[in-house]
Amino acid sequence: NNTVDISYERLAVGVYRATVSGTFPPMTEENTFLLHGSGVSAGSKIGLFWSGANTFDIKTADASETASDGISNDTAIQLSIFQ
């Protein structure tokens, strides 16, 4: 069974880095699947991007596409790492 811990770091307004640690297959762009729920306010945007070994970035923006904090507070994020 694989277990992971995820720590988050704010890089800039609307930009966060998630670092994954634990017992799991090595994360690569080819084997990592990221999905987010619909818990963002109307018109707001959230993007999930693989950014490197065991990290992914979360970018959020308001309805005018301006980087903004607080957009992803109530949004579920699913991380799947395939072997």
Side-chain angles (χ1 to χ4, degrees), residues 32-51:
T32 303
F33 178 76
L34 297 164
L35 181 68
H36 66 80
S38 60
V40 297
S41 17
S44 297
K45 298 175 178 26
I46 182 171
L48 305 171
F49 307 91
W50 180 85
S51 57

